[in-house]
Amino acid sequence: MGAAIPILLVFIGCCSNVVFLELLVQDEPACGTILTFAQFLFIAIEGFVVTMDCGRRKNAIPVKEYLILMTMFFTVNVTNNMAFGYKISMPLHIIFRSGGLIASLVMGVLVLGRSYSLSKYLSVIMITLGTIICTFASAENLEETSDPADSTFTTWLTGIGILTFALFMSARMGIFQEMLYVRHGKHPREALFFIHTLSLPGFLLTWRSIAEHVAKFSSSAPLPALAHVPWLASVPRLWLYLLGNVLTQYLCVGSVFKLGSEATSLTVTLVLTLRKFMSLVFSIIYFQNPFTINHWIGTVLVFAGTLIFTDVYGKAREAMAAAPRKKTE
């Protein structure tokens, strides 16, 4: 079976996670803090019990290294979820984060002094252009208020700034993690546990927001569809959405790590790109998010640029050329 099961679980976990996320932000757009806290807490508890064997297993990478990685990871997750409180729609959020290749290339040049082929720069131009087109297409759907200081556009622009910061911080985190694995070996499950666990004290800074949303979640109405289901009939719907999001997020992250051990990085990138595209289309159709022809043009540029960046055509030719040689051998 190889990578087949992890690929299937990536699509199931990550795509269903987007559904629960959309349901949450439709009711509570600024729930990013409590959402991130719940995800981190669940992964920390699971990692302590399973990965670290309830504290009996010794970590392979020093904690001081994880503290640096944790700071970056915590910042990226909080800022990404925070963006929903600034008029950022789910489709734009998905598309914007698909521009991660741009940030990775820029940070690779600036931090590591790497050089890239012409096709890589072409793909980055396509992804950048696609992101810009989608960004301005979303801006056209916003209504300005009479007070420029309190305008919807200003709020939305703040959200774009937050997403941009998170994009480049995520790229810098990837470089740091890459160098960390070179020095100490690859320990993805251990890293997953430590960066989530060490991040938990940081939520003390946002405890007011968490407490506020605990009250809001608890006062939300139950789901009518579960009116006759024992134990669930009286549970506020936002808590159910949060539980669904946390569980599917864990399935998504765990499946991606598993896929990374079963397949090449090219396969992982392609699967995640296709997953984002499916999530985007589902979000547009099911939740009726505004999506114009300009959005589609931008989307095609982003994902086509991603495929060029990963050199799908070249890898396919190499695989086809190698196949006959293996048979003759």
Side-chain angles (χ1 to χ4, degrees), residues 134-251:
C134 286
T135 299
F136 280 98
S138 294
E140 293 173 359
N141 296 318
L142 298 172
E143 297 179 359
E144 286 286 354
T145 61
S146 57
D147 182 5
D150 190 38
S151 68
T152 302
F153 180 77
T154 302
T155 302
W156 172 85
L157 202 60
T158 303
I160 292 297
I162 290 173
L163 283 178
T164 303
F165 170 79
L167 200 65
F168 281 91
M169 177 60 76
S170 179
R172 184 63 184 89
M173 181 186 73
I175 291 176
F176 181 81
Q177 189 170 0
E178 180 183 334
M179 297 170 67
L180 200 64
Y181 286 161
V182 169
R183 293 196 300 269
H184 302 283
K186 295 183 178 181
H187 304 279
R189 300 298 302 185
E190 178 186 294
L192 191 67
F193 163 72
F194 272 99
I195 60 180
H196 283 82
T197 303
L198 294 174
S199 296
L200 291 178
F203 288 101
L204 291 174
L205 300 174
T206 59
W207 70 270
R208 292 184 184 276
S209 174
I210 294 174
E212 177 185 344
H213 282 91
V214 165
K216 288 183 177 180
F217 277 36
S218 299
S219 63
S220 62
L223 286 172
L226 301 177
H228 302 290
V229 179
W231 303 105
L232 298 179
S234 60
V235 178
R237 68 178 185 279
L238 289 182
W239 284 119
L240 293 177
Y241 294 160
L242 182 65
L243 177 63
N245 180 271
V246 168
L247 294 177
T248 53
Q249 171 74 3
Y250 174 73
L251 177 62

Side-chain angles (χ1 to χ4, degrees), residues 24-66:
L24 279 168
V25 299
Q26 279 188 342
D27 277 9
E28 286 294 331
C31 69
T33 303
I34 189 173
L35 173 61
T36 310
F37 173 70
Q39 293 172 349
F40 277 45
L41 182 62
F42 181 85
I43 293 178
I45 294 173
E46 186 277 340
F48 178 75
V49 175
V50 178
T51 304
M52 304 308 294
D53 192 21
C54 295
R56 288 188 288 268
R57 179 183 171 186
K58 182 176 175 56
N59 51 293
I61 299 177
V63 175
K64 64 179 181 179
E65 301 275 24
Y66 281 132

Side-chain angles (χ1 to χ4, degrees), residues 112-130:
L112 301 177
R114 290 174 174 170
S115 60
Y116 299 91
S117 64
L118 181 61
S119 63
K120 291 289 191 291
Y121 289 107
L122 174 62
S123 68
V124 166
I125 292 173
M126 292 176 65
I127 295 169
T128 303
L129 184 60

